[in-house]
Amino acid sequence: MVTVTRARRRSPVLTPSGLACLSVLPTINLTAGCLHDCVYCYIRGYRNYPGESRVVLYEDTLERLRHELRPGQPKPRAVYFSPSSDLFQPASEVLELSHAVLEFLFSRGIGVAFLTKGEIPDETMELLIDHADLVQAQIGLITLDEDIARVFEPHAASLRTRLWQLRSLIAGGIAAAARLDPILPTLTDDPEALDRQFAALAQVGVKRAAAGVLFLRPGIIYWLTRRVPRDMLAPLLAAYREEEAVMRGAEYPIQNLPSGRRREIFARLEKAAEAHGIRLDVCACKNSDIARGSCNIAGAWPARTPRAAQPALMS
Ligand code: SF4
Protein backbone atom coordinates (compact mmCIF):
# COMPACT_ATOMS: atom_id res chain seq x y z
CA MET A 1 0.00 0.00 0.00
CA VAL A 2 1.55 3.30 -1.07
CA THR A 3 0.37 6.87 -0.55
CA VAL A 4 1.00 9.46 -3.23
CA THR A 5 0.12 13.01 -2.18
CA ARG A 6 0.16 15.77 -4.77
CA ALA A 7 1.68 19.19 -4.14
CA ARG A 8 2.97 22.21 -6.03
CA ARG A 9 6.63 23.09 -5.87
CA ARG A 10 7.95 25.91 -3.73
CA SER A 11 11.34 26.02 -5.46
CA PRO A 12 12.69 25.63 -9.02
CA VAL A 13 12.62 22.24 -10.75
CA LEU A 14 16.24 22.42 -11.92
CA THR A 15 18.36 22.39 -8.78
CA PRO A 16 22.12 22.39 -8.23
CA SER A 17 23.49 19.51 -6.18
CA GLY A 18 25.87 19.88 -3.24
CA LEU A 19 27.67 16.67 -4.27
CA ALA A 20 30.86 17.37 -6.22
CA CYS A 21 30.28 14.55 -8.72
CA LEU A 22 26.83 15.96 -9.54
CA SER A 23 27.89 19.60 -9.66
CA VAL A 24 28.24 19.52 -13.45
CA LEU A 25 24.50 19.03 -14.07
CA PRO A 26 21.28 20.46 -12.71
CA THR A 27 19.24 17.82 -10.89
CA ILE A 28 15.52 17.04 -10.66
CA ASN A 29 13.46 15.26 -8.02
CA LEU A 30 9.90 14.44 -9.07
CA THR A 31 8.94 13.46 -5.53
CA ALA A 32 9.84 14.14 -1.93
CA GLY A 33 10.47 10.71 -0.45
CA CYS A 34 10.89 7.51 -2.43
CA LEU A 35 8.65 4.45 -2.57
CA HIS A 36 11.55 2.01 -2.79
CA ASP A 37 12.06 2.47 0.96
CA CYS A 38 15.71 1.42 0.93
CA VAL A 39 16.62 1.06 4.59
CA TYR A 40 20.08 2.61 4.14
CA CYS A 41 18.78 5.66 2.25
CA TYR A 42 20.02 9.01 3.56
CA ILE A 43 16.72 10.76 2.72
CA ARG A 44 15.21 9.03 5.76
CA GLY A 45 17.03 11.61 7.86
CA TYR A 46 15.75 14.62 5.88
CA ARG A 47 13.27 17.06 7.38
CA ASN A 48 10.88 16.65 4.42
CA TYR A 49 10.97 12.82 4.50
CA PRO A 50 7.27 11.89 4.30
CA GLY A 51 7.68 8.40 5.81
CA GLU A 52 7.84 4.85 4.44
CA SER A 53 5.72 4.04 1.38
CA ARG A 54 4.70 7.69 1.06
CA VAL A 55 5.74 10.32 -1.43
CA VAL A 56 4.77 13.85 -2.29
CA LEU A 57 4.52 14.13 -6.08
CA TYR A 58 5.35 17.56 -7.51
CA GLU A 59 2.42 17.72 -9.91
CA ASP A 60 3.41 21.02 -11.54
CA THR A 61 6.87 19.79 -12.56
CA LEU A 62 6.26 19.74 -16.31
CA GLU A 63 4.59 23.16 -16.39
CA ARG A 64 7.40 24.67 -14.28
CA LEU A 65 10.08 22.98 -16.35
CA ARG A 66 8.58 24.37 -19.56
CA HIS A 67 8.81 27.80 -17.98
CA GLU A 68 12.38 27.35 -16.72
CA LEU A 69 13.47 26.15 -20.16
CA ARG A 70 11.46 28.65 -22.18
CA PRO A 71 13.11 30.09 -25.30
CA GLY A 72 15.91 32.48 -24.43
CA GLN A 73 16.81 30.71 -21.18
CA PRO A 74 20.08 28.76 -20.84
CA LYS A 75 19.60 25.15 -21.83
CA PRO A 76 21.53 22.48 -19.90
CA ARG A 77 23.17 19.79 -22.00
CA ALA A 78 21.73 17.20 -19.60
CA VAL A 79 19.99 16.85 -16.25
CA TYR A 80 20.39 14.27 -13.50
CA PHE A 81 17.59 12.21 -11.90
CA SER A 82 17.41 12.11 -8.96
CA PRO A 83 19.54 13.05 -5.99
CA SER A 84 16.85 12.23 -3.40
CA SER A 85 14.31 10.01 -5.15
CA ASP A 86 14.00 7.63 -8.12
CA LEU A 87 12.47 8.13 -11.56
CA PHE A 88 10.95 4.66 -11.63
CA GLN A 89 9.02 4.17 -8.40
CA PRO A 90 6.17 1.65 -8.14
CA ALA A 91 3.24 4.09 -8.56
CA SER A 92 1.54 4.86 -11.87
CA GLU A 93 1.32 8.61 -11.07
CA VAL A 94 5.10 8.82 -10.63
CA LEU A 95 5.85 6.69 -13.70
CA GLU A 96 3.51 8.79 -15.89
CA LEU A 97 5.15 12.02 -14.79
CA SER A 98 8.63 10.52 -15.30
CA HIS A 99 7.72 9.52 -18.86
CA ALA A 100 6.26 12.94 -19.66
CA VAL A 101 9.28 14.80 -18.27
CA LEU A 102 11.72 12.59 -20.19
CA GLU A 103 9.69 13.10 -23.39
CA PHE A 104 9.80 16.87 -22.90
CA LEU A 105 13.55 16.96 -22.24
CA PHE A 106 14.29 14.81 -25.29
CA SER A 107 12.05 17.03 -27.42
CA ARG A 108 14.34 19.93 -26.42
CA GLY A 109 17.51 17.93 -27.17
CA ILE A 110 18.44 17.77 -23.47
CA GLY A 111 20.18 14.64 -22.23
CA VAL A 112 19.40 12.72 -19.05
CA ALA A 113 21.59 10.85 -16.62
CA PHE A 114 19.80 8.69 -14.08
CA LEU A 115 20.38 6.16 -11.36
CA THR A 116 17.52 3.79 -10.64
CA LYS A 117 16.67 0.72 -8.62
CA GLY A 118 13.19 0.63 -10.07
CA GLU A 119 11.39 -1.16 -12.88
CA ILE A 120 11.40 0.89 -16.07
CA PRO A 121 8.04 0.52 -17.88
CA ASP A 122 8.29 -0.93 -21.43
CA GLU A 123 7.01 2.27 -23.02
CA THR A 124 9.65 4.35 -21.21
CA MET A 125 12.38 1.85 -22.06
CA GLU A 126 11.44 2.33 -25.74
CA LEU A 127 11.56 6.11 -25.31
CA LEU A 128 15.03 5.89 -23.73
CA ILE A 129 16.33 3.60 -26.47
CA ASP A 130 14.88 5.88 -29.17
CA HIS A 131 17.04 8.66 -27.66
CA ALA A 132 20.03 6.51 -26.73
CA ASP A 133 22.57 9.22 -27.53
CA LEU A 134 20.87 11.47 -24.95
CA VAL A 135 20.85 8.92 -22.12
CA GLN A 136 23.45 7.79 -19.59
CA ALA A 137 22.13 5.30 -17.06
CA GLN A 138 23.22 3.62 -13.87
CA ILE A 139 21.29 0.69 -12.43
CA GLY A 140 21.74 0.15 -8.70
CA LEU A 141 22.52 -3.45 -7.76
CA ILE A 142 24.11 -3.90 -4.35
CA THR A 143 23.87 -7.70 -4.16
CA LEU A 144 22.61 -10.84 -5.88
CA ASP A 145 21.36 -12.19 -2.53
CA GLU A 146 17.55 -12.04 -2.56
CA ASP A 147 17.29 -12.13 1.25
CA ILE A 148 19.57 -9.12 1.67
CA ALA A 149 17.83 -7.23 -1.15
CA ARG A 150 14.38 -7.88 0.36
CA VAL A 151 15.46 -6.48 3.72
CA PHE A 152 17.44 -3.47 2.49
CA GLU A 153 15.52 -2.51 -0.68
CA PRO A 154 12.03 -3.84 0.06
CA HIS A 155 10.18 -2.19 -2.81
CA ALA A 156 12.84 -1.85 -5.48
CA ALA A 157 12.69 -3.92 -8.68
CA SER A 158 13.69 -7.57 -8.46
CA LEU A 159 17.37 -8.33 -8.99
CA ARG A 160 16.51 -10.27 -12.13
CA THR A 161 14.60 -7.27 -13.53
CA ARG A 162 17.51 -4.94 -12.85
CA LEU A 163 19.94 -7.26 -14.64
CA TRP A 164 17.48 -7.59 -17.52
CA GLN A 165 17.17 -3.81 -17.74
CA LEU A 166 20.93 -3.44 -17.90
CA ARG A 167 20.95 -5.88 -20.80
CA SER A 168 18.13 -4.01 -22.58
CA LEU A 169 19.71 -0.57 -22.10
CA ILE A 170 23.13 -1.73 -23.31
CA ALA A 171 21.64 -3.66 -26.24
CA GLY A 172 19.69 -0.51 -27.10
CA GLY A 173 22.92 1.50 -27.44
CA ILE A 174 22.67 3.35 -24.13
CA ALA A 175 25.75 4.04 -22.00
CA ALA A 176 24.65 2.01 -18.98
CA ALA A 177 26.66 1.03 -15.92
CA ALA A 178 25.99 -0.84 -12.70
CA ARG A 179 26.21 0.87 -9.33
CA LEU A 180 27.15 -1.17 -6.26
CA ASP A 181 26.35 1.47 -3.72
CA PRO A 182 26.19 1.06 -0.86
CA ILE A 183 28.39 -1.95 -0.23
CA LEU A 184 27.26 -3.26 3.17
CA PRO A 185 30.39 -4.29 5.12
CA THR A 186 30.24 -7.96 6.25
CA LEU A 187 27.05 -8.55 4.22
CA THR A 188 27.85 -7.79 0.56
CA ASP A 189 31.65 -7.60 0.43
CA ASP A 190 32.46 -11.31 0.44
CA PRO A 191 35.00 -12.02 -2.37
CA GLU A 192 33.10 -15.01 -3.77
CA ALA A 193 29.79 -13.17 -3.80
CA LEU A 194 31.44 -10.21 -5.51
CA ASP A 195 32.93 -12.50 -8.11
CA ARG A 196 29.48 -13.95 -8.85
CA GLN A 197 28.00 -10.48 -9.01
CA PHE A 198 30.55 -9.15 -11.50
CA ALA A 199 30.20 -12.36 -13.54
CA ALA A 200 26.44 -11.73 -13.78
CA LEU A 201 27.05 -8.10 -14.76
CA ALA A 202 29.56 -9.09 -17.44
CA GLN A 203 27.06 -11.57 -18.80
CA VAL A 204 24.52 -8.83 -19.50
CA GLY A 205 27.16 -6.69 -21.20
CA VAL A 206 28.24 -4.35 -18.40
CA LYS A 207 31.68 -2.82 -18.96
CA ARG A 208 31.64 -0.17 -16.27
CA ALA A 209 30.56 -0.10 -12.63
CA ALA A 210 30.74 2.34 -9.74
CA ALA A 211 30.87 1.58 -6.04
CA GLY A 212 30.57 3.22 -2.65
CA VAL A 213 30.51 1.88 0.91
CA LEU A 214 27.63 2.49 3.32
CA PHE A 215 28.00 5.56 5.46
CA LEU A 216 25.87 6.07 8.54
CA ARG A 217 23.87 8.98 9.81
CA PRO A 218 21.73 9.07 12.96
CA GLY A 219 18.56 8.83 10.80
CA ILE A 220 19.94 5.79 8.95
CA ILE A 221 20.96 4.01 12.17
CA TYR A 222 17.47 4.61 13.53
CA TRP A 223 15.88 2.81 10.56
CA LEU A 224 18.50 0.06 10.33
CA THR A 225 17.82 -0.94 13.92
CA ARG A 226 14.08 -1.13 13.18
CA ARG A 227 14.10 -2.91 9.84
CA VAL A 228 17.16 -5.18 9.72
CA PRO A 229 17.14 -8.57 11.48
CA ARG A 230 19.65 -8.95 14.30
CA ASP A 231 21.83 -11.54 12.56
CA MET A 232 22.47 -9.03 9.73
CA LEU A 233 22.49 -5.87 11.82
CA ALA A 234 24.99 -6.87 14.54
CA PRO A 235 28.00 -7.57 12.26
CA LEU A 236 27.13 -4.60 10.03
CA LEU A 237 27.07 -2.03 12.84
CA ALA A 238 30.09 -3.64 14.56
CA ALA A 239 32.18 -2.68 11.51
CA TYR A 240 31.49 0.99 12.31
CA ARG A 241 32.39 0.80 16.00
CA GLU A 242 36.12 1.01 15.40
CA GLU A 243 37.85 4.01 16.89
CA GLU A 244 38.39 5.85 13.62
CA ALA A 245 34.74 5.67 12.52
CA VAL A 246 33.39 8.64 14.46
CA MET A 247 30.43 10.78 13.42
CA ARG A 248 31.51 13.99 11.69
CA GLY A 249 29.53 17.06 10.65
CA ALA A 250 26.91 19.17 12.32
CA GLU A 251 23.48 19.27 10.65
CA TYR A 252 23.67 15.85 8.94
CA PRO A 253 26.62 14.10 10.65
CA ILE A 254 28.24 11.23 8.75
CA GLN A 255 30.04 8.17 10.00
CA ASN A 256 32.27 6.51 7.43
CA LEU A 257 33.93 3.12 7.64
CA PRO A 258 37.63 3.48 8.63
CA SER A 259 39.80 4.15 5.58
CA GLY A 260 41.76 0.89 5.95
CA ARG A 261 38.54 -1.16 5.79
CA ARG A 262 37.29 0.82 2.80
CA ARG A 263 40.61 0.31 1.00
CA GLU A 264 40.34 -3.45 1.56
CA ILE A 265 36.78 -3.51 0.23
CA PHE A 266 37.59 -1.46 -2.88
CA ALA A 267 40.64 -3.68 -3.57
CA ARG A 268 38.35 -6.74 -3.46
CA LEU A 269 35.85 -5.03 -5.74
CA GLU A 270 38.53 -3.99 -8.22
CA LYS A 271 39.93 -7.52 -8.35
CA ALA A 272 36.50 -9.04 -9.00
CA ALA A 273 35.59 -6.37 -11.58
CA GLU A 274 38.87 -6.74 -13.44
CA ALA A 275 38.49 -10.52 -13.57
CA HIS A 276 35.33 -9.98 -15.59
CA GLY A 277 36.56 -7.16 -17.81
CA ILE A 278 34.67 -4.43 -15.96
CA ARG A 279 36.15 -1.03 -15.11
CA LEU A 280 35.39 0.07 -11.55
CA ASP A 281 34.97 3.72 -10.50
CA VAL A 282 35.07 4.57 -6.81
CA CYS A 283 33.07 7.53 -5.57
CA ALA A 284 35.69 10.11 -4.58
CA CYS A 285 33.04 12.47 -3.17
CA LYS A 286 32.43 10.06 -0.33
CA ASN A 287 36.02 8.75 -0.22
CA SER A 288 38.16 11.84 -0.65
CA ASP A 289 40.74 10.34 1.74
CA ILE A 290 41.45 7.29 -0.43
CA ALA A 291 40.07 7.84 -3.95
CA ARG A 292 40.47 10.28 -6.81
CA GLY A 293 38.25 10.92 -9.81
CA SER A 294 34.55 10.54 -10.44
CA CYS A 295 32.11 7.67 -10.03
CA ASN A 296 30.61 8.91 -13.31
CA ILE A 297 27.16 9.28 -11.76
CA ALA A 298 26.42 12.31 -13.93
CA GLY A 299 27.68 10.54 -17.07
CA ALA A 300 30.16 12.06 -19.50
CA TRP A 301 28.76 14.69 -21.84
CA PRO A 302 30.62 16.14 -24.81
CA ALA A 303 31.67 19.76 -24.38
CA ARG A 304 29.67 22.38 -26.26
CA THR A 305 31.16 24.80 -28.73
CA PRO A 306 32.10 28.15 -27.08
CA ARG A 307 29.16 29.87 -28.79
CA ALA A 308 26.65 27.51 -27.23
CA ALA A 309 28.39 27.34 -23.88
CA GLN A 310 26.30 28.40 -20.90
CA PRO A 311 27.39 29.59 -17.47
CA ALA A 312 27.86 27.34 -14.42
CA LEU A 313 25.28 24.52 -14.28
CA MET A 314 24.11 25.15 -17.77
CA SER A 315 27.45 24.49 -19.42
S1 SF4 B 1 15.95 4.10 -4.66
FE1 SF4 B 1 17.44 5.63 -4.03
S2 SF4 B 1 16.23 7.39 -3.34
FE2 SF4 B 1 14.88 5.62 -3.42
S3 SF4 B 1 14.88 4.81 -1.32
FE3 SF4 B 1 16.43 3.68 -2.51
S4 SF4 B 1 18.34 4.78 -2.17
FE4 SF4 B 1 16.68 6.15 -1.53
Side-chain angles (χ1 to χ4, degrees):
M1 175 74 179
V2 300
T3 305
V4 179
T5 310
R6 290 171 181 273
R8 294 182 74 78
R9 287 180 181 269
R10 292 197 200 131
S11 51
V13 180
L14 297 169
T15 314
S17 166
L19 264 185
C21 47
L22 280 178
S23 60
V24 292
L25 297 182
T27 69
I28 302 182
N29 282 303
L30 299 183
T31 58
C34 177
L35 296 171
H36 289 147
D37 288 336
C38 302
V39 181
Y40 50 72
C41 184
Y42 53 82
I43 68 171
R44 287 173 176 261
Y46 284 5
R47 279 192 214 95
N48 70 345
Y49 177 60
E52 291 185 321
S53 300
R54 292 174 174 273
V55 285
V56 177
L57 178 73
Y58 298 123
E59 60 182 357
D60 56 342
T61 298
L62 199 50
E63 167 195 336
R64 297 277 298 257
L65 197 54
R66 282 199 182 102
H67 181 71
E68 288 175 31
L69 295 172
R70 64 194 181 279
Q73 292 302 302
K75 187 171 89 167
R77 67 167 70 96
V79 300
Y80 175 78
F81 295 92
S82 301
S84 312
S85 57
D86 194 304
L87 260 181
F88 304 112
Q89 299 173 48
S92 56
E93 301 93 316
V94 181
L95 294 170
E96 279 161 21
L97 182 59
S98 299
H99 189 95
V101 169
L102 288 171
E103 234 171 13
F104 170 70
L105 292 170
F106 293 147
S107 75
R108 300 289 308 275
I110 298 171
V112 299
F114 66 82
L115 163 63
T116 186
K117 290 171 187 157
E119 183 164 349
I120 305 173
D122 290 348
E123 197 192 355
T124 307
M125 180 65 89
E126 281 169 28
L127 177 71
L128 294 170
I129 290 172
D130 284 347
H131 299 85
D133 56 334
L134 288 176
V135 181
Q136 308 217 11
Q138 287 195 346
I139 300 287
L141 191 80
I142 64 162
T143 180
L144 289 187
D145 183 317
E146 301 279 358
D147 292 336
I148 294 175
R150 210 170 299 122
V151 168
F152 285 88
E153 300 171 340
H155 304 129
S158 72
L159 304 177
R160 178 192 277 263
T161 297
R162 286 187 249 177
L163 281 169
W164 182 253
Q165 287 179 168
L166 271 166
R167 183 193 289 277
S168 304
L169 291 164
I170 293 166
I174 290 173
R179 191 168 185 94
L180 289 70
D181 188 10
I183 296 289
L184 307 171
T186 72
L187 297 181
T188 65
D189 59 347
D190 170 72
E192 283 175 23
L194 288 175
D195 187 68
R196 284 195 297 279
Q197 193 168 343
F198 280 104
L201 292 172
Q203 217 171 13
V204 296
V206 170
K207 295 274 182 243
R208 199 161 178 179
V213 176
L214 176 73
F215 59 85
L216 299 178
R217 283 179 166 153
I220 298 175
I221 297 172
Y222 173 89
W223 284 105
L224 287 172
T225 53
R226 273 154 189 79
R227 294 288 177 264
V228 179
R230 206 169 167 65
D231 60 328
M232 290 185 187
L233 184 68
L236 176 64
L237 290 187
Y240 290 81
R241 285 206 190 102
E242 294 174 29
E243 215 179 305
E244 204 191 319
V246 290
M247 283 271 178
R248 292 193 171 81
E251 192 180 9
Y252 295 114
I254 286 183
Q255 186 176 9
N256 219 338
L257 199 66
S259 56
R261 291 290 308 276
R262 270 178 289 135
R263 267 201 191 93
E264 272 169 37
I265 291 174
F266 290 134
R268 248 179 258 166
L269 282 156
E270 261 159 22
K271 190 172 168 201
E274 200 182 339
H276 296 282
I278 295 175
R279 171 182 159 178
L280 185 78
D281 299 304
V282 170
C283 181
C285 293
K286 289 187 254 167
N287 299 281
S288 56
D289 50 344
I290 60 169
R292 294 284 171 273
S294 162
C295 59
N296 204 38
I297 195 166
W301 301 93
R304 285 215 174 114
T305 60
R307 190 171 175 275
Q310 305 288 351
L313 283 177
M314 303 299 174
S315 62

